[in-house]
Amino acid sequence: DLHVHPNATDGRDTLDPRAVAAVVRAVRNAVPATTVGVTTGASTADAAWREHLVRSWDVLPDHASVN
C-alpha cells in the first residue's frame, strides 16, 4: 500500500484532479498490485473546497485519508 501526496508544480500538496490522476496512474503503471491511497488534508484548510476537489476526481485511488 502506498500513501501518496500529489504535488502541484510549485511542490505543494494538491487535490487538483489532474495531479491526483497523474500520480495514481503512475503508481498503478509502475506497481500494478499495489493499492494507492491519497492524502486529503494538507492542500487546503477549507473543508468545503477540499470536498469539492475530491468529488471532482475522475481517477480514483483505492482509498483516501480524511484529515
Side-chain angles (χ1 to χ4, degrees):
D1 182 61
L2 288 176
H3 173 86
V4 297
H5 292 242
N7 291 328
T9 56
D10 63 5
R12 295 186 306 167
D13 284 1
T14 183
L15 297 177
D16 177 83
R18 293 170 304 231
V20 172
V23 74
V24 169
R25 284 184 178 129
V27 171
R28 288 186 174 146
N29 285 336
V31 282
T34 301
T35 57
V36 183
V38 174
T39 189
T40 64
S43 69
T44 179
D46 182 337
W49 182 243
R50 189 178 331 148
E51 179 182 357
H52 166 77
L53 289 170
V54 170
R55 288 181 181 275
S56 70
W57 295 350
D58 59 351
V59 176
L60 299 177
D62 298 294
H63 59 88
S65 64
V66 180
N67 304 70

Short mmCIF file of all heavy atoms in Angstrom, two decimals:
data_model
loop_
_atom_site.label_atom_id
_atom_site.label_comp_id
_atom_site.label_asym_id
_atom_site.label_seq_id
_atom_site.Cartn_x
_atom_site.Cartn_y
_atom_site.Cartn_z
N ASP A 1 0.85 -1.17 0.00
CA ASP A 1 0.00 0.00 0.00
C ASP A 1 0.89 1.23 0.00
O ASP A 1 1.83 1.34 0.79
CB ASP A 1 -0.90 -0.03 1.24
CG ASP A 1 -1.85 1.14 1.29
OD1 ASP A 1 -2.68 1.26 0.37
OD2 ASP A 1 -1.77 1.92 2.24
N LEU A 2 0.60 2.17 -0.88
CA LEU A 2 1.33 3.45 -0.92
C LEU A 2 0.38 4.58 -0.58
O LEU A 2 -0.72 4.67 -1.11
CB LEU A 2 1.91 3.71 -2.31
CG LEU A 2 3.09 2.86 -2.72
CD1 LEU A 2 3.49 3.17 -4.15
CD2 LEU A 2 4.26 3.08 -1.78
N HIS A 3 0.84 5.43 0.32
CA HIS A 3 0.12 6.64 0.69
C HIS A 3 0.85 7.78 -0.01
O HIS A 3 2.02 8.01 0.26
CB HIS A 3 0.16 6.81 2.21
CG HIS A 3 -0.41 8.10 2.69
ND1 HIS A 3 -1.75 8.28 2.93
CD2 HIS A 3 0.18 9.28 2.98
CE1 HIS A 3 -1.94 9.51 3.36
NE2 HIS A 3 -0.79 10.15 3.39
N VAL A 4 0.16 8.48 -0.92
CA VAL A 4 0.84 9.49 -1.73
C VAL A 4 0.27 10.88 -1.48
O VAL A 4 -0.87 11.05 -1.06
CB VAL A 4 0.77 9.15 -3.23
CG1 VAL A 4 1.50 7.85 -3.52
CG2 VAL A 4 -0.66 9.06 -3.72
N HIS A 5 1.10 11.87 -1.75
CA HIS A 5 0.75 13.28 -1.65
C HIS A 5 0.98 13.89 -3.03
O HIS A 5 2.12 14.26 -3.35
CB HIS A 5 1.64 14.00 -0.63
CG HIS A 5 1.43 13.59 0.78
ND1 HIS A 5 0.99 14.47 1.73
CD2 HIS A 5 1.57 12.39 1.39
CE1 HIS A 5 0.89 13.83 2.89
NE2 HIS A 5 1.24 12.57 2.70
N PRO A 6 -0.05 13.99 -3.87
CA PRO A 6 0.14 14.63 -5.17
C PRO A 6 0.61 16.07 -4.99
O PRO A 6 0.17 16.77 -4.07
CB PRO A 6 -1.24 14.58 -5.80
CG PRO A 6 -1.92 13.44 -5.12
CD PRO A 6 -1.40 13.47 -3.72
N ASN A 7 1.52 16.49 -5.84
CA ASN A 7 2.09 17.84 -5.75
C ASN A 7 1.73 18.69 -6.95
O ASN A 7 1.66 18.20 -8.07
CB ASN A 7 3.61 17.78 -5.64
CG ASN A 7 4.06 17.20 -4.33
OD1 ASN A 7 3.40 17.36 -3.31
ND2 ASN A 7 5.17 16.50 -4.34
N ALA A 8 1.56 19.98 -6.68
CA ALA A 8 1.39 20.98 -7.74
C ALA A 8 2.77 21.30 -8.31
O ALA A 8 3.80 20.84 -7.79
CB ALA A 8 0.75 22.24 -7.16
N THR A 9 2.81 22.09 -9.35
CA THR A 9 4.10 22.43 -9.96
C THR A 9 5.01 23.20 -9.02
O THR A 9 6.22 23.18 -9.19
CB THR A 9 3.89 23.25 -11.26
OG1 THR A 9 3.11 24.40 -10.95
CG2 THR A 9 3.18 22.42 -12.32
N ASP A 10 4.44 23.85 -8.00
CA ASP A 10 5.26 24.57 -7.02
C ASP A 10 5.76 23.67 -5.89
O ASP A 10 6.41 24.13 -4.97
CB ASP A 10 4.52 25.77 -6.45
CG ASP A 10 3.27 25.39 -5.66
OD1 ASP A 10 3.00 24.18 -5.46
OD2 ASP A 10 2.54 26.31 -5.24
N GLY A 11 5.41 22.38 -5.95
CA GLY A 11 5.88 21.42 -4.97
C GLY A 11 4.96 21.24 -3.77
O GLY A 11 5.19 20.36 -2.95
N ARG A 12 3.92 22.04 -3.67
CA ARG A 12 2.99 21.91 -2.55
C ARG A 12 1.95 20.82 -2.82
O ARG A 12 1.62 20.56 -3.98
CB ARG A 12 2.30 23.23 -2.26
CG ARG A 12 3.26 24.31 -1.79
CD ARG A 12 2.57 25.57 -1.36
NE ARG A 12 1.70 26.07 -2.42
CZ ARG A 12 0.79 27.01 -2.24
NH1 ARG A 12 0.61 27.56 -1.07
NH2 ARG A 12 0.04 27.41 -3.25
N ASP A 13 1.44 20.21 -1.75
CA ASP A 13 0.38 19.22 -1.89
C ASP A 13 -0.82 19.84 -2.60
O ASP A 13 -1.12 21.02 -2.42
CB ASP A 13 -0.08 18.73 -0.53
CG ASP A 13 0.88 17.75 0.12
OD1 ASP A 13 1.93 17.46 -0.47
OD2 ASP A 13 0.57 17.28 1.23
N THR A 14 -1.49 19.02 -3.41
CA THR A 14 -2.68 19.49 -4.11
C THR A 14 -3.68 18.35 -4.23
O THR A 14 -3.30 17.18 -4.23
CB THR A 14 -2.34 20.02 -5.52
OG1 THR A 14 -3.53 20.53 -6.12
CG2 THR A 14 -1.73 18.96 -6.42
N LEU A 15 -4.93 18.72 -4.33
CA LEU A 15 -6.01 17.77 -4.60
C LEU A 15 -6.57 17.97 -6.00
O LEU A 15 -7.61 17.40 -6.34
CB LEU A 15 -7.13 17.92 -3.56
CG LEU A 15 -6.73 17.61 -2.13
CD1 LEU A 15 -7.89 17.88 -1.18
CD2 LEU A 15 -6.26 16.17 -2.00
N ASP A 16 -5.89 18.75 -6.81
CA ASP A 16 -6.31 19.00 -8.19
C ASP A 16 -6.51 17.66 -8.90
O ASP A 16 -5.64 16.79 -8.83
CB ASP A 16 -5.24 19.82 -8.92
CG ASP A 16 -5.61 20.03 -10.36
OD1 ASP A 16 -6.38 20.96 -10.63
OD2 ASP A 16 -5.13 19.24 -11.22
N PRO A 17 -7.64 17.47 -9.55
CA PRO A 17 -7.93 16.18 -10.17
C PRO A 17 -6.89 15.73 -11.21
O PRO A 17 -6.62 14.54 -11.34
CB PRO A 17 -9.30 16.35 -10.81
CG PRO A 17 -9.61 17.79 -10.75
CD PRO A 17 -8.74 18.42 -9.73
N ARG A 18 -6.28 16.67 -11.91
CA ARG A 18 -5.25 16.27 -12.89
C ARG A 18 -4.02 15.73 -12.19
O ARG A 18 -3.42 14.74 -12.63
CB ARG A 18 -4.88 17.45 -13.77
CG ARG A 18 -6.02 17.89 -14.69
CD ARG A 18 -5.67 19.20 -15.34
NE ARG A 18 -5.38 20.18 -14.29
CZ ARG A 18 -5.91 21.38 -14.19
NH1 ARG A 18 -6.74 21.79 -15.11
NH2 ARG A 18 -5.62 22.19 -13.20
N ALA A 19 -3.62 16.34 -11.10
CA ALA A 19 -2.45 15.88 -10.34
C ALA A 19 -2.71 14.54 -9.68
O ALA A 19 -1.86 13.65 -9.69
CB ALA A 19 -2.05 16.92 -9.30
N VAL A 20 -3.91 14.40 -9.11
CA VAL A 20 -4.27 13.13 -8.48
C VAL A 20 -4.28 12.02 -9.52
O VAL A 20 -3.71 10.94 -9.31
CB VAL A 20 -5.62 13.24 -7.75
CG1 VAL A 20 -6.10 11.87 -7.27
CG2 VAL A 20 -5.52 14.21 -6.58
N ALA A 21 -4.90 12.26 -10.66
CA ALA A 21 -4.96 11.26 -11.72
C ALA A 21 -3.56 10.87 -12.18
O ALA A 21 -3.27 9.68 -12.36
CB ALA A 21 -5.78 11.78 -12.90
N ALA A 22 -2.69 11.84 -12.34
CA ALA A 22 -1.33 11.55 -12.82
C ALA A 22 -0.57 10.66 -11.85
O ALA A 22 0.08 9.69 -12.25
CB ALA A 22 -0.57 12.85 -13.06
N VAL A 23 -0.64 10.97 -10.56
CA VAL A 23 0.12 10.18 -9.59
C VAL A 23 -0.50 8.80 -9.39
O VAL A 23 0.22 7.80 -9.30
CB VAL A 23 0.34 10.92 -8.25
CG1 VAL A 23 -0.92 10.97 -7.42
CG2 VAL A 23 1.46 10.31 -7.46
N VAL A 24 -1.82 8.71 -9.36
CA VAL A 24 -2.47 7.41 -9.21
C VAL A 24 -2.16 6.52 -10.42
O VAL A 24 -1.79 5.35 -10.27
CB VAL A 24 -3.99 7.55 -8.99
CG1 VAL A 24 -4.71 6.21 -9.09
CG2 VAL A 24 -4.26 8.20 -7.63
N ARG A 25 -2.24 7.07 -11.61
CA ARG A 25 -1.92 6.29 -12.82
C ARG A 25 -0.45 5.87 -12.83
O ARG A 25 -0.12 4.74 -13.21
CB ARG A 25 -2.23 7.11 -14.07
CG ARG A 25 -3.69 7.18 -14.38
CD ARG A 25 -3.94 7.91 -15.69
NE ARG A 25 -5.34 7.95 -16.01
CZ ARG A 25 -6.01 9.04 -16.32
NH1 ARG A 25 -5.40 10.21 -16.39
NH2 ARG A 25 -7.29 8.99 -16.58
N ALA A 26 0.44 6.78 -12.44
CA ALA A 26 1.87 6.46 -12.43
C ALA A 26 2.18 5.32 -11.47
O ALA A 26 2.93 4.39 -11.82
CB ALA A 26 2.68 7.69 -12.06
N VAL A 27 1.60 5.35 -10.29
CA VAL A 27 1.82 4.27 -9.32
C VAL A 27 1.25 2.96 -9.85
O VAL A 27 1.92 1.92 -9.80
CB VAL A 27 1.23 4.61 -7.94
CG1 VAL A 27 1.28 3.40 -7.02
CG2 VAL A 27 1.97 5.78 -7.31
N ARG A 28 0.04 3.01 -10.37
CA ARG A 28 -0.58 1.78 -10.87
C ARG A 28 0.18 1.20 -12.06
O ARG A 28 0.26 -0.02 -12.22
CB ARG A 28 -2.03 2.03 -11.24
CG ARG A 28 -2.88 2.22 -9.99
CD ARG A 28 -4.34 2.32 -10.30
NE ARG A 28 -5.10 2.36 -9.05
CZ ARG A 28 -6.20 3.05 -8.88
NH1 ARG A 28 -6.72 3.73 -9.89
NH2 ARG A 28 -6.83 3.03 -7.72
N ASN A 29 0.76 2.05 -12.90
CA ASN A 29 1.56 1.55 -14.02
C ASN A 29 2.87 0.95 -13.54
O ASN A 29 3.34 -0.04 -14.10
CB ASN A 29 1.83 2.67 -15.02
CG ASN A 29 0.62 3.02 -15.86
OD1 ASN A 29 -0.28 2.21 -16.04
ND2 ASN A 29 0.59 4.24 -16.36
N ALA A 30 3.47 1.55 -12.52
CA ALA A 30 4.76 1.08 -12.02
C ALA A 30 4.64 -0.18 -11.17
O ALA A 30 5.49 -1.07 -11.26
CB ALA A 30 5.44 2.19 -11.22
N VAL A 31 3.62 -0.23 -10.33
CA VAL A 31 3.43 -1.36 -9.42
C VAL A 31 1.95 -1.73 -9.36
O VAL A 31 1.25 -1.37 -8.42
CB VAL A 31 4.00 -1.07 -8.01
CG1 VAL A 31 5.50 -1.21 -7.96
CG2 VAL A 31 3.60 0.31 -7.51
N PRO A 32 1.46 -2.43 -10.37
CA PRO A 32 0.03 -2.67 -10.52
C PRO A 32 -0.65 -3.37 -9.34
O PRO A 32 -1.83 -3.16 -9.11
CB PRO A 32 -0.06 -3.55 -11.78
CG PRO A 32 1.23 -3.41 -12.48
CD PRO A 32 2.24 -2.99 -11.46
N ALA A 33 0.06 -4.17 -8.60
CA ALA A 33 -0.56 -4.91 -7.49
C ALA A 33 -0.62 -4.11 -6.20
O ALA A 33 -1.11 -4.61 -5.19
CB ALA A 33 0.20 -6.21 -7.26
N THR A 34 -0.16 -2.87 -6.22
CA THR A 34 -0.11 -2.06 -5.02
C THR A 34 -1.35 -1.16 -4.94
O THR A 34 -1.71 -0.51 -5.91
CB THR A 34 1.16 -1.18 -5.02
OG1 THR A 34 2.29 -2.05 -5.08
CG2 THR A 34 1.25 -0.32 -3.80
N THR A 35 -1.97 -1.12 -3.77
CA THR A 35 -3.08 -0.19 -3.57
C THR A 35 -2.52 1.21 -3.36
O THR A 35 -1.41 1.40 -2.87
CB THR A 35 -3.96 -0.60 -2.38
OG1 THR A 35 -3.15 -0.67 -1.22
CG2 THR A 35 -4.65 -1.93 -2.63
N VAL A 36 -3.31 2.20 -3.76
CA VAL A 36 -2.87 3.59 -3.73
C VAL A 36 -3.84 4.40 -2.86
O VAL A 36 -5.05 4.38 -3.09
CB VAL A 36 -2.85 4.21 -5.14
CG1 VAL A 36 -2.32 5.64 -5.10
CG2 VAL A 36 -2.04 3.35 -6.09
N GLY A 37 -3.28 5.10 -1.88
CA GLY A 37 -4.06 5.99 -1.05
C GLY A 37 -3.59 7.42 -1.24
O GLY A 37 -2.40 7.67 -1.42
N VAL A 38 -4.51 8.36 -1.22
CA VAL A 38 -4.17 9.77 -1.41
C VAL A 38 -4.55 10.54 -0.15
O VAL A 38 -5.62 10.32 0.43
CB VAL A 38 -4.94 10.35 -2.63
CG1 VAL A 38 -4.72 11.85 -2.75
CG2 VAL A 38 -4.49 9.64 -3.90
N THR A 39 -3.67 11.42 0.27
CA THR A 39 -3.98 12.29 1.41
C THR A 39 -4.97 13.36 0.99
O THR A 39 -5.00 13.74 -0.18
CB THR A 39 -2.71 12.94 1.97
OG1 THR A 39 -3.03 13.59 3.19
CG2 THR A 39 -2.08 13.93 1.01
N THR A 40 -5.77 13.83 1.91
CA THR A 40 -6.72 14.90 1.60
C THR A 40 -6.55 16.12 2.49
O THR A 40 -7.28 17.09 2.34
CB THR A 40 -8.17 14.43 1.72
OG1 THR A 40 -8.45 14.09 3.09
CG2 THR A 40 -8.46 13.25 0.82
N GLY A 41 -5.61 16.11 3.41
CA GLY A 41 -5.59 17.14 4.43
C GLY A 41 -4.72 18.35 4.20
O GLY A 41 -5.05 19.44 4.66
N ALA A 42 -3.62 18.20 3.52
CA ALA A 42 -2.62 19.26 3.54
C ALA A 42 -2.83 20.39 2.54
O ALA A 42 -2.25 21.45 2.68
CB ALA A 42 -1.24 18.65 3.32
N SER A 43 -3.67 20.19 1.53
CA SER A 43 -3.72 21.19 0.46
C SER A 43 -4.53 22.43 0.80
O SER A 43 -4.25 23.50 0.29
CB SER A 43 -4.26 20.56 -0.82
OG SER A 43 -5.62 20.25 -0.68
N THR A 44 -5.54 22.30 1.65
CA THR A 44 -6.37 23.46 1.98
C THR A 44 -7.07 23.23 3.32
O THR A 44 -7.42 22.10 3.65
CB THR A 44 -7.44 23.74 0.90
OG1 THR A 44 -8.21 24.86 1.31
CG2 THR A 44 -8.33 22.57 0.65
N ALA A 45 -7.24 24.29 4.06
CA ALA A 45 -7.96 24.20 5.33
C ALA A 45 -9.47 24.31 5.14
O ALA A 45 -10.23 24.03 6.05
CB ALA A 45 -7.47 25.29 6.28
N ASP A 46 -9.91 24.71 3.95
CA ASP A 46 -11.33 24.90 3.66
C ASP A 46 -11.96 23.55 3.34
O ASP A 46 -11.78 23.00 2.24
CB ASP A 46 -11.46 25.86 2.48
CG ASP A 46 -12.90 26.17 2.12
OD1 ASP A 46 -13.81 25.36 2.43
OD2 ASP A 46 -13.13 27.22 1.51
N ALA A 47 -12.70 22.99 4.29
CA ALA A 47 -13.27 21.66 4.13
C ALA A 47 -14.23 21.56 2.95
O ALA A 47 -14.25 20.54 2.25
CB ALA A 47 -13.97 21.22 5.42
N ALA A 48 -15.02 22.59 2.70
CA ALA A 48 -15.96 22.55 1.58
C ALA A 48 -15.21 22.51 0.24
O ALA A 48 -15.60 21.78 -0.67
CB ALA A 48 -16.90 23.74 1.63
N TRP A 49 -14.14 23.30 0.12
CA TRP A 49 -13.36 23.30 -1.12
C TRP A 49 -12.65 21.96 -1.29
O TRP A 49 -12.59 21.41 -2.38
CB TRP A 49 -12.36 24.45 -1.13
CG TRP A 49 -11.57 24.51 -2.39
CD1 TRP A 49 -10.22 24.36 -2.51
CD2 TRP A 49 -12.05 24.73 -3.72
NE1 TRP A 49 -9.83 24.46 -3.82
CE2 TRP A 49 -10.94 24.69 -4.59
CE3 TRP A 49 -13.31 24.95 -4.26
CZ2 TRP A 49 -11.07 24.86 -5.97
CZ3 TRP A 49 -13.43 25.12 -5.64
CH2 TRP A 49 -12.31 25.08 -6.47
N ARG A 50 -12.13 21.41 -0.19
CA ARG A 50 -11.48 20.10 -0.22
C ARG A 50 -12.47 19.05 -0.71
O ARG A 50 -12.15 18.23 -1.58
CB ARG A 50 -10.96 19.76 1.17
CG ARG A 50 -10.09 18.55 1.20
CD ARG A 50 -9.55 18.25 2.59
NE ARG A 50 -9.39 19.43 3.41
CZ ARG A 50 -9.53 19.44 4.72
NH1 ARG A 50 -9.83 18.35 5.38
NH2 ARG A 50 -9.35 20.55 5.41
N GLU A 51 -13.70 19.07 -0.19
CA GLU A 51 -14.72 18.11 -0.63
C GLU A 51 -15.02 18.29 -2.11
O GLU A 51 -15.14 17.31 -2.86
CB GLU A 51 -16.00 18.28 0.19
CG GLU A 51 -17.09 17.32 -0.24
CD GLU A 51 -18.39 17.51 0.51
OE1 GLU A 51 -18.46 18.35 1.43
OE2 GLU A 51 -19.35 16.80 0.16
N HIS A 52 -15.13 19.53 -2.57
CA HIS A 52 -15.38 19.80 -3.98
C HIS A 52 -14.27 19.18 -4.85
O HIS A 52 -14.56 18.54 -5.87
CB HIS A 52 -15.45 21.31 -4.23
CG HIS A 52 -15.36 21.67 -5.67
ND1 HIS A 52 -16.42 21.53 -6.54
CD2 HIS A 52 -14.32 22.16 -6.40
CE1 HIS A 52 -16.02 21.91 -7.76
NE2 HIS A 52 -14.77 22.29 -7.69
N LEU A 53 -13.02 19.38 -4.45
CA LEU A 53 -11.91 18.84 -5.24
C LEU A 53 -11.95 17.31 -5.26
O LEU A 53 -11.78 16.69 -6.32
CB LEU A 53 -10.58 19.34 -4.68
CG LEU A 53 -10.28 20.81 -4.92
CD1 LEU A 53 -9.05 21.24 -4.12
CD2 LEU A 53 -10.09 21.10 -6.40
N VAL A 54 -12.14 16.69 -4.11
CA VAL A 54 -12.17 15.23 -4.05
C VAL A 54 -13.32 14.68 -4.91
O VAL A 54 -13.14 13.72 -5.64
CB VAL A 54 -12.27 14.74 -2.59
CG1 VAL A 54 -12.54 13.24 -2.53
CG2 VAL A 54 -10.99 15.09 -1.83
N ARG A 55 -14.46 15.33 -4.86
CA ARG A 55 -15.60 14.87 -5.67
C ARG A 55 -15.34 15.05 -7.17
O ARG A 55 -16.01 14.41 -8.00
CB ARG A 55 -16.88 15.58 -5.26
CG ARG A 55 -17.41 15.14 -3.92
CD ARG A 55 -18.71 15.86 -3.58
NE ARG A 55 -19.22 15.46 -2.29
CZ ARG A 55 -19.97 14.40 -2.08
NH1 ARG A 55 -20.31 13.61 -3.08
NH2 ARG A 55 -20.41 14.11 -0.87
N SER A 56 -14.39 15.88 -7.53
CA SER A 56 -14.09 16.10 -8.95
C SER A 56 -13.07 15.11 -9.51
O SER A 56 -12.80 15.13 -10.71
CB SER A 56 -13.59 17.54 -9.17
OG SER A 56 -12.30 17.72 -8.62
N TRP A 57 -12.52 14.25 -8.67
CA TRP A 57 -11.56 13.26 -9.16
C TRP A 57 -12.26 12.30 -10.11
O TRP A 57 -13.31 11.76 -9.80
CB TRP A 57 -10.96 12.45 -8.02
CG TRP A 57 -10.11 13.23 -7.07
CD1 TRP A 57 -9.66 14.51 -7.18
CD2 TRP A 57 -9.61 12.75 -5.82
NE1 TRP A 57 -8.91 14.85 -6.09
CE2 TRP A 57 -8.87 13.79 -5.23
CE3 TRP A 57 -9.73 11.55 -5.13
CZ2 TRP A 57 -8.23 13.66 -4.00
CZ3 TRP A 57 -9.11 11.41 -3.91
CH2 TRP A 57 -8.36 12.45 -3.36
N ASP A 58 -11.67 12.05 -11.27
CA ASP A 58 -12.22 11.05 -12.18
C ASP A 58 -11.38 9.79 -12.21
O ASP A 58 -11.82 8.76 -12.68
CB ASP A 58 -12.44 11.62 -13.58
CG ASP A 58 -11.17 12.15 -14.22
OD1 ASP A 58 -10.14 12.24 -13.54
OD2 ASP A 58 -11.22 12.48 -15.41
N VAL A 59 -10.16 9.86 -11.69
CA VAL A 59 -9.34 8.67 -11.47
C VAL A 59 -9.26 8.52 -9.96
O VAL A 59 -8.69 9.37 -9.27
CB VAL A 59 -7.93 8.82 -12.08
CG1 VAL A 59 -7.07 7.63 -11.74
CG2 VAL A 59 -8.03 9.02 -13.59
N LEU A 60 -9.88 7.46 -9.44
CA LEU A 60 -9.99 7.31 -8.00
C LEU A 60 -8.89 6.43 -7.43
O LEU A 60 -8.57 5.38 -8.00
CB LEU A 60 -11.34 6.70 -7.65
CG LEU A 60 -12.56 7.53 -8.06
CD1 LEU A 60 -13.84 6.77 -7.72
CD2 LEU A 60 -12.54 8.89 -7.39
N PRO A 61 -8.34 6.83 -6.28
CA PRO A 61 -7.41 5.95 -5.58
C PRO A 61 -8.21 4.82 -4.92
O PRO A 61 -9.44 4.84 -4.89
CB PRO A 61 -6.77 6.88 -4.53
CG PRO A 61 -7.84 7.88 -4.25
CD PRO A 61 -8.56 8.08 -5.56
N ASP A 62 -7.48 3.87 -4.36
CA ASP A 62 -8.16 2.78 -3.64
C ASP A 62 -8.73 3.27 -2.32
O ASP A 62 -9.72 2.71 -1.83
CB ASP A 62 -7.18 1.63 -3.42
CG ASP A 62 -6.71 1.06 -4.75
OD1 ASP A 62 -7.56 0.49 -5.47
OD2 ASP A 62 -5.53 1.21 -5.07
N HIS A 63 -8.11 4.27 -1.75
CA HIS A 63 -8.60 4.86 -0.51
C HIS A 63 -8.00 6.25 -0.37
O HIS A 63 -7.06 6.62 -1.08
CB HIS A 63 -8.29 4.00 0.72
CG HIS A 63 -6.84 3.75 0.93
ND1 HIS A 63 -6.04 4.60 1.64
CD2 HIS A 63 -6.05 2.75 0.51
CE1 HIS A 63 -4.80 4.11 1.67
NE2 HIS A 63 -4.78 3.01 0.99
N ALA A 64 -8.57 7.04 0.54
CA ALA A 64 -8.05 8.38 0.81
C ALA A 64 -8.08 8.61 2.31
O ALA A 64 -9.01 8.18 2.99
CB ALA A 64 -8.89 9.44 0.10
N SER A 65 -7.07 9.29 2.80
CA SER A 65 -7.08 9.69 4.21
C SER A 65 -7.97 10.91 4.33
O SER A 65 -8.04 11.74 3.42
CB SER A 65 -5.67 10.00 4.71
OG SER A 65 -5.15 11.11 4.00
N VAL A 66 -8.67 11.01 5.42
CA VAL A 66 -9.55 12.16 5.64
C VAL A 66 -9.04 12.88 6.87
O VAL A 66 -9.13 12.37 7.98
CB VAL A 66 -11.01 11.70 5.83
CG1 VAL A 66 -11.91 12.90 6.07
CG2 VAL A 66 -11.47 10.92 4.61
N ASN A 67 -8.49 14.06 6.64
CA ASN A 67 -7.90 14.84 7.74
C ASN A 67 -8.81 15.99 8.06
O ASN A 67 -9.46 16.53 7.25
CB ASN A 67 -6.54 15.37 7.34
CG ASN A 67 -5.60 14.27 6.90
OD1 ASN A 67 -5.78 13.69 5.86
ND2 ASN A 67 -4.62 14.00 7.71
#
